[in-house]
Amino acid sequence: RAENGTIDAQSHTTEMNERIMSSAAMHPFSSPQGLGRTAIQSSILGFLLGVHFVTLLMLTLQKTADDENSDTKEEKSPLWSPLQRWCLYVVAMCFYHNSEFYTTAYFNPTALKADSFMMVHSNMYTIAVVVSCFEFWFVRPWIYNPLIRSLSTTLLILSDDSKFYWFLNTIPSLGCVLLFGGLGLRILAMMTCGTNFHHLIQSHQKDDHLLVTHGIYKYLRHPSYTGWFYFTIGTQILLGNPLTTIGYGITGLNFFQRRIKYEEYLLSQQYPGSYAAYCDQTYIGIPFLSF
């Protein structure tokens, strides 16, 4: 009976894979597994990455040359111009989406599909990106910058150019640390998890699924979530968007509070006893979350 059950399960899996491949062939641009859909997303990311990386490089070289020709520190411009911050943000976002696809392709190819780029995974994500861009291009230059100058002068904070120069350099640098640190942590988590990593929560345990407790998972039990949380916060600090920084933080905490709670419930059912012991020895790494 067990043998017949195994054969039936394998036949069902084969049939499902054939249906998926057939759908991808018939609908290459609309199917999640379609090659056309993959090509479009990779082309968009490649174009944006190339244009913004070259622009960032040219701006950086030009600024370096200008600073070398400046006689005094007061004549030097801040390390991060708005356009440099924008270009670095787009480069980081393109790298993130590419890393989601290529890391999945290498370490868990059976789960790979066009949507592994994670570009259009939810309406809320798209809205958040649009709001972030609006705040950077329209709210920041017309409201934030004059307000900061006015308050700093009135309260005698950052009133001289050297302090304001330091302030404009420190904020984006902090964003870069969180951004690249969080992205690196997420990629490391996906690599460590291997075939056990999925973008969607697995409500049913597969035969080959293992509870990963080594590497980074020895210290953090949800490092991909932790990395993604700090990555998103870092992007907004880099751009200098206070409203979306707070909004991303609150939304991220609310999302992971529900998602991690549900995922840990499933894992405790799939690994009774062992998962509870694992939780006692590890941390989540995202502030204000409690379970």
Side-chain angles (χ1 to χ4, degrees), residues 255-282:
F255 173 76
F256 285 124
Q257 177 72 32
R258 292 181 284 106
R259 185 181 179 96
I260 292 177
K261 183 177 182 180
Y262 176 62
E263 186 169 335
E264 292 201 336
Y265 166 76
L266 293 176
L267 289 171
S268 65
Q269 299 297 310
Q270 297 171 5
Y271 302 97
S274 60
Y275 188 74
Y278 170 68
C279 290
D280 293 337
Q281 302 171 0
T282 54

Side-chain angles (χ1 to χ4, degrees), residues 5 33 47 50 58-59 70 97 101 117 120-121 136 142 170 178 193 209 228 245 271 278 280:
Q33 285 77 20
F47 174 77
M58 293 176 62
L59 289 171
S70 299
H97 287 296
F101 185 88
F117 282 110
V120 289
H121 60 83
F136 176 81
W142 299 105
T170 302
L178 292 175
C193 214
H209 187 273
W228 193 83
T245 298
Y271 302 97
Y278 170 68
D280 293 337

Side-chain angles (χ1 to χ4, degrees), residues 57-71:
L57 182 61
M58 293 176 62
L59 289 171
T60 303
L61 292 175
Q62 182 62 49
K63 182 190 179 303
T64 302
D66 292 342
D67 288 345
E68 290 177 352
N69 295 328
S70 299
D71 296 329

Side-chain angles (χ1 to χ4, degrees), residues 18 29 40 58 83 93-94 115 135 168 176 191 238 244:
E18 290 177 350
F29 294 99
I40 289 177
M58 293 176 62
L83 190 55
M93 291 294 289
C94 290
D115 289 348
E135 183 176 6
L168 292 178
C176 281
M191 293 169 59
L238 169 64
T244 45

